[in-house]
Amino acid sequence: MIKVDNQLFSLHTRHTSYLFRVMETGHLEHLYYGRKIHSAIDGLTEQHAFAPGNTNIYDSRHPEFSLEDVCLEMSSFGKGDIREPFVELTLSDGSMTSDFLFEKFEQGTGKDEFETLPGSYDETGEVEWLCVTLRDKNSGAVLELHYYVYEDCDVITRCAKLINESEDTVKLNRLMSLQLDLEPADYIFTSFHGAWAREMGHTDVKLVPGKYVNSSYTGTSSSRANPFVMLGTEHTTENEGECFGFNLIYSGNHYEAAEVGSFGKVRIVSGINPQSFCFTLEAGESFEAPEAVMTYAWKGYNVMSQNMHRFVREHIVRGVWKKKERPVLLNSWEAAYFDINERKLLSLTKAGKEAGIELFVMDDGWFAKRDDDTKSLGDWQANSKKLPGGLKGIADKIKALGMDFGIWVEPEMVNTDSDLYRSHPDWVIEIPGKAHSEGRNQRILDLTKKEVQDHIIEEMSRVFSSADISYVKWDMNRTFSDYFSQGISPERQGETAHRYVMGLYRCMKELTARFPDILFEGCAAGGNRFDLGILCYFPQIWASDDTDALCRAEIQTGYSYGYPMSVVSAHVSGCPNHQTLRTTPLETRFAVAAFGVLGYECNFCDLKKEDLEAVKAQITLYKKWRSVLQQGTFYRGRSFTGNGSADTFGKNSVLWNDDGNVTEWTCVSPDQSKAVGFVMQKLVVPNTQYGYYKPQGLCEEKEYHFYNRPLKYNVKDFGDLVNTVSPVHIRQDSIAHNLVAKFVKMDGETENITAYGDTLMYGGVKLKPAFSGNGYNENVRYFQDFGARMYFMEAVDKENIKAQ
């Protein structure tokens, strides 16, 4: 709901309020963002009598304050505010002072996208919007601030548009999407950093006077620094305390800064990275900044995350696959890498079909002379030696086996050893006549050029329509270097990075419109472009090339703060893991991947019979609980990052404080009738039997059947402890040992209780004791290094339980 009363603007969601007003000077003063309150100016407006010392007053009529010591809705340089600006202009006379003052506002309902960038959408037409127009006193520049209120998600989005209504050229050096000024407080700024194979590392910084910047200059949203960030009070936990979440619907260079100014006020800005950015606006031209997303919660990070999850599911992801259950897939990459052929692929498909796989994906290596990563990118013709019948031939054979077929492509890239590059050397991002820094032996096609966009659209359309293709993995395996477009004049090269992103969006928009039934999955060397911009076109993204279960548990926890698990693609792969050489239990690999969009990437043809049977059982179980896992409400508990639990026995106790050694998740169906839980530990702590699991999100008044899936374990997992019960000595790895292991399995523990939701959530479930070196039977939990458990909860009637 949006109210405008006497130049007070009030934006209300179901649980939050956002207020700002027009000051006497014509600037916009930010008043409040937090728990829902009544609209009022009295008490919220900061009072001033004399400007602070050594500051600049705005003008002689208002000597009582300086813009440096005011919470503003937007800011610029030159009139006293020396903090992070919202907008920076260079005018035709070379001056850089701008002074945007209120001119008018407009409000209504419905959501229209900007012309050049994707954004949120609303299928009901009920979302309320507000546009506040400001005009620069020093030029003909006009700034529109757009607000959209998603009431049920407790989300407000913001974006901005600069229009040059002067007769002169204006250079835009910066235009943020969001600015939020807050009163002084002890805040923690959280960002998510990393690199290839270790995305979304949770990083907390205590805000002190100065500035903290989270940004990308890779040409993508980046695995180095995701555009999603958080701000919370110092003692905020997963389930208590105030916090904010911010994200940007953009897939290029981004910039988030948290600054504590000289007077303690906190400023958050988010938008396109101003580094090397400069956009020239001729008379009458305009520039649209990407849409930013913000939410507030006072009950901890879980509620904040759930606000973001609802928003992404309902107002970012769109099309046929918005609410459709995603298939379980088998990807050929780690099974074969580039060494693929029809025989090998069909063998993998048959093994996958037997295990319950629904979609087979042929990864890199299927086209032209693509035997390694040095050649043929850009030449999208099937290799006739590997695929005698081309794409249609392999697709038809896989479809005949009862599975859907998908392929891998990397449309934005080209190898210099390719027919495409030899035909169009001017189609790449490079500086003519100067050495180029390579990444993964490939170069980036110049999507600032319309003819390159047209080529990608038509070439991919040819490929996608040449066979019965149900799924496309769209990859992008390098970052930008040597920014330069041969299609842009020298004085406008500062536009290259942004124009590339606009060109990419045009390609994605056109292709997803032409092929609405294909399930597109985004990928960029793993999570190098995991953002809301991509999710506007592709309903899921490959979260990381690292499939190690321990790493993935941390990575997926990081993503869960800003993104629902229904958009996080996750695979079970072989061990030792291809990225870490770590060996983790097969059941752990499955449990971690099951909380994302499940797939497999191991060689089913080489799996042991018992492992293949285990995979078959996993897939059957996942299909039963798929709707809960993909569409349920997600909760974090204890965490490897140490942010999950407030109920530990002591921060310095290695023995009792498992916060940091344990990760805990719960996913609950929308009607609270079903839930799936997850507990994983890093390392065994000797002689520690006690363990517990605390679900969240259950209905307090419902009774639930709580149980696990009992497993059997290989007797060889217990080493020569077998001799403590064997009547004869058995040497490890001997023929006798292997023979015993073939016929003797150790029963795992069984959890089977019925309890009310409040008992389970607040009291927790005390699990069967873990193995501690004092004996083992079916009442002992075999919970080794990197061990994990899944727990299941179903609301049931007492009579049904008694009958069982």
Side-chain angles (χ1 to χ4, degrees):
M1 179 175 61
I2 298 175
K3 293 182 179 180
V4 182
D5 182 21
N6 194 28
Q7 297 193 321
L8 171 66
F9 299 90
S10 306
L11 289 67
H12 302 280
T13 69
R14 184 169 50 178
H15 299 113
T16 72
S17 294
Y18 184 100
L19 280 68
F20 63 96
R21 73 172 186 119
V22 181
M23 298 170 61
E24 294 77 2
T25 59
H27 300 94
L28 299 182
E29 180 183 9
H30 178 78
L31 300 177
Y32 178 81
Y33 186 28
R35 295 182 67 163
K36 192 167 187 177
I37 61 173
H38 290 91
S39 303
I41 288 181
D42 292 342
L44 295 178
T45 303
E46 187 172 356
Q47 301 182 52
H48 304 272
F50 298 96
N54 193 223
T55 62
N56 299 317
I57 62 172
Y58 170 65
D59 62 19
S60 58
R61 291 178 298 162
H62 303 88
E64 67 276 13
F65 70 91
S66 166
L67 292 178
E68 185 183 350
D69 189 26
V70 178
C71 288
L72 297 172
E73 196 66 11
M74 63 77 54
S75 62
S76 59
F77 280 145
K79 305 308 293 183
D81 188 0
I82 58 175
R83 296 168 290 175
E84 278 278 339
F86 185 87
V87 61
E88 289 184 78
L89 304 176
T90 301
L91 304 180
S92 59
D93 61 1
S95 65
M96 292 179 284
T97 291
S98 55
D99 187 15
F100 286 93
L101 304 179
F102 175 78
E103 183 175 88
K104 62 180 180 179
F105 76 92
E106 185 179 5
Q107 66 184 112
T109 57
K111 175 71 164 62
D112 294 325
E113 288 189 5
F114 276 175
E115 296 176 3
T116 58
L117 296 172
S120 62
Y121 73 104
D122 177 54
E123 293 178 314
T124 68
E126 296 177 356
V127 62
E128 294 189 54
W129 61 267
L130 170 71
C131 176
V132 178
T133 301
L134 311 174
R135 184 176 293 274
D136 179 25
K137 284 180 62 176
N138 301 307
S139 69
V142 170
L143 179 63
E144 294 179 352
L145 302 180
H146 295 260
Y147 302 79
Y148 300 92
V149 178
Y150 290 94
E151 190 168 347
D152 289 343
C153 298
D154 282 324
V155 162
I156 297 171
T157 71
R158 289 187 57 177
C159 49
K161 182 177 183 179
L162 188 80
I163 307 164
N164 181 11
E165 293 190 356
S166 73
E167 297 179 356
D168 300 316
T169 298
V170 171
K171 288 187 177 181
L172 178 62
N173 302 311
R174 167 195 291 231
L175 182 60
M176 293 289 103
S177 299
L178 173 148
Q179 176 181 313
L180 179 63
D181 284 5
L182 299 170
E183 297 170 353
D186 291 328
Y187 282 118
I188 301 295
F189 184 76
T190 302
S191 52
F192 296 87
H193 296 271
W196 176 79
R198 47 182 172 86
E199 294 87 345
M200 296 301 288
H202 188 288
T203 305
D204 288 339
V205 175
K206 182 178 174 62
L207 290 186
V208 295
K211 186 187 305 181
Y212 184 83
V213 173
N214 177 75
S215 68
S216 161
Y217 192 62
T218 62
T220 61
S221 50
S222 170
S223 56
R224 281 71 167 175
N226 194 271
F228 173 76
V229 297
M230 306 187 301
L231 189 70
T233 55
E234 190 169 2
H235 299 292
T236 297
T237 66
E238 292 290 4
N239 299 310
E240 296 177 358
E242 292 187 288
C243 56
F244 303 85
F246 308 98
N247 211 337
L248 190 67
I249 308 177
Y250 191 62
S251 305
N253 296 331
H254 61 88
Y255 181 88
E256 293 77 41
E259 181 179 12
V260 179
S262 300
F263 302 98
K265 295 181 173 67
V266 176
R267 172 168 293 175
I268 304 291
V269 296
S270 175
I272 295 172
N273 194 336
Q275 181 176 339
S276 304
F277 172 87
C278 182
F279 218 93
T280 301
L281 297 179
E282 303 293 347
E285 292 183 338
S286 62
F287 181 88
E288 300 167 348
E291 189 175 2
V293 182
M294 58 186 181
T295 188
Y296 165 84
W298 68 92
K299 292 184 179 180
Y301 292 113
N302 266 320
V303 172
M304 181 278 302
S305 296
Q306 290 154 12
N307 293 344
M308 284 291 190
H309 295 176
R310 284 193 298 273
F311 174 77
V312 173
R313 283 174 170 164
E314 295 298 328
H315 303 292
I316 293 293
V317 175
R318 59 202 80 192
V320 172
W321 290 95
K322 176 177 179 176
K323 295 184 182 295
K324 191 175 180 180
E325 289 185 357
R326 314 289 165 75
V328 181
L329 66 81
L330 174 61
N331 185 290
S332 70
W333 180 244
E334 288 193 8
Y337 286 87
F338 293 102
D339 185 20
I340 62 173
N341 56 57
E342 185 175 282
R343 176 189 56 79
K344 186 180 291 187
L345 295 176
L346 290 176
S347 295
L348 272 173
T349 303
K350 291 174 183 176
K353 175 63 177 177
E354 184 180 341
I357 295 291
E358 299 163 317
L359 165 68
F360 182 80
V361 178
M362 180 175 64
D363 209 281
D364 200 353
W366 61 267
F367 52 93
K369 302 174 182 178
R370 186 70 168 175
D371 296 321
D372 55 45
D373 64 10
T374 66
K375 53 184 173 290
S376 294
L377 270 182
D379 301 338
W380 299 105
Q381 295 81 33
N383 183 305
S384 59
K385 291 183 179 179
K386 296 181 178 182
L387 304 174
L391 282 179
K392 187 177 189 309
I394 187 68
D396 288 348
K397 290 178 179 179
I398 288 174
K399 294 288 286 189
L401 292 171
M403 293 175 64
D404 287 333
F405 174 69
I407 61 170
W408 174 97
V409 293
E410 193 170 3
E412 303 161 66
M413 297 294 160
V414 64
N415 291 124
T416 55
D417 183 3
S418 68
D419 292 340
L420 179 62
Y421 183 81
R422 285 184 282 271
S423 299
H424 298 283
D426 59 327
W427 275 14
V428 297
I429 299 282
E430 64 181 14
I431 307 171
K434 297 183 180 180
H436 187 77
S437 294
E438 297 286 19
R440 203 178 183 250
N441 302 300
Q442 59 195 49
R443 298 194 184 181
I444 302 172
L445 289 171
D446 187 356
L447 268 63
T448 71
K449 293 185 172 185
K450 186 175 184 298
E451 62 266 33
V452 177
Q453 300 168 25
D454 291 341
H455 171 80
I456 290 175
I457 292 169
E458 296 309 318
E459 190 69 352
M460 288 298 104
S461 293
R462 179 188 62 78
V463 171
F464 299 161
S465 60
S466 68
D468 191 351
I469 294 172
S470 302
Y471 163 103
V472 169
K473 184 175 184 178
W474 181 304
D475 211 342
M476 193 269 200
N477 272 305
R478 66 156 293 178
T479 61
F480 280 60
S481 62
D482 307 297
Y483 284 97
F484 191 89
S485 170
Q486 298 176 57
I488 297 177
S489 60
E491 67 276 7
R492 300 187 72 149
Q493 286 298 319
E495 303 176 13
T496 300
H498 180 66
R499 288 192 178 277
Y500 179 93
V501 176
M502 291 194 293
L504 171 67
Y505 287 150
R506 179 185 170 234
C507 294
M508 290 180 168
K509 183 176 183 179
E510 183 65 32
L511 287 166
T512 52
R514 291 186 183 187
F515 301 93
D517 294 323
I518 287 180
L519 172 58
F520 284 90
E521 177 171 300
C523 178
N528 198 49
R529 201 164 58 188
F530 199 112
D531 59 72
L532 298 182
I534 298 300
L535 289 173
C536 286
Y537 302 106
F538 300 166
Q540 62 190 54
I541 301 176
W542 179 231
S544 175
D545 284 343
D546 187 348
T547 54
D548 178 284
L550 177 63
C551 299
R552 263 307 187 105
E554 295 183 344
I555 290 168
Q556 289 171 210
T557 295
Y559 280 120
S560 75
Y561 281 94
Y563 305 92
M565 291 295 97
S566 58
V567 306
V568 177
S569 182
H571 292 177
V572 176
S573 65
C575 277
N577 180 266
H578 290 205
Q579 291 77 46
T580 66
L581 296 181
R582 187 181 0 251
T583 296
T584 55
L586 178 58
E587 291 301 327
T588 296
R589 286 173 263 157
F590 163 67
V592 172
F595 275 79
V597 179
L598 177 67
Y600 287 78
E601 201 156 326
C602 39
N603 192 338
F604 277 28
C605 297
D606 290 349
L607 287 181
K608 298 176 183 178
K609 182 180 179 181
E610 62 181 311
D611 286 344
L612 199 56
E613 288 300 314
V615 167
K616 186 175 182 180
Q618 291 170 357
I619 294 173
T620 299
L621 180 72
Y622 179 76
K623 289 176 180 177
K624 177 181 177 181
W625 291 90
R626 173 162 42 190
S627 62
V628 178
L629 289 162
Q630 291 188 5
Q631 299 298 329
T633 303
F634 183 87
Y635 295 83
R636 291 174 302 273
R638 293 166 289 171
S639 171
F640 291 153
T641 59
N643 295 310
S645 176
D647 56 2
T648 52
F649 287 89
K651 290 293 182 183
N652 298 316
S653 171
V654 175
L655 179 61
W656 295 113
N657 179 16
D658 58 8
D659 206 21
N661 193 46
V662 171
T663 279
E664 191 175 49
W665 300 332
T666 305
C667 203
V668 185
S669 65
D671 64 359
Q672 296 178 297
S673 66
K674 295 181 179 181
V676 183
F678 167 88
V679 175
M680 179 181 177
Q681 74 174 0
K682 282 186 177 180
L683 299 176
V684 170
V685 178
N687 194 27
T688 305
Q689 299 183 10
Y690 174 73
Y692 70 93
Y693 161 67
K694 279 191 173 182
Q696 299 184 64
L698 304 178
C699 176
E700 294 180 345
E701 300 303 320
K702 287 184 179 180
E703 279 193 297
Y704 291 87
H705 180 202
F706 177 95
Y707 61 97
N708 68 332
R709 180 169 63 109
L711 299 170
K712 292 183 179 293
Y713 298 101
N714 192 324
V715 70
K716 294 181 71 174
D717 292 341
F718 295 83
D720 62 7
L721 282 173
V722 67
N723 288 304
T724 63
V725 295
S726 173
V728 296
H729 183 78
I730 299 176
R731 182 169 55 85
Q732 275 194 278
D733 295 322
S734 65
I735 294 176
H737 200 191
N738 289 324
L739 188 62
V740 170
K742 185 176 181 180
F743 294 101
V744 178
K745 302 297 179 185
M746 305 293 283
D747 288 326
E749 86 284 4
T750 298
E751 305 287 357
N752 185 15
I753 64 171
T754 301
Y756 280 98
D758 55 2
T759 303
L760 295 172
M761 290 189 293
Y762 309 140
V765 179
K766 308 306 185 291
L767 303 172
K768 293 288 174 64
F771 176 78
S772 61
N774 295 321
Y776 181 85
N777 60 26
E778 69 279 3
N779 293 314
V780 173
R781 184 163 38 97
Y782 176 63
F783 207 51
Q784 68 277 55
D785 290 348
F786 321 124
R789 287 289 187 278
M790 295 178 73
Y791 299 106
F792 306 95
M793 289 146 277
E794 296 183 86
V796 292
D797 296 330
K798 288 183 180 180
E799 297 303 319
N800 290 339
I801 287 293
K802 289 179 180 178
Q804 292 179 9

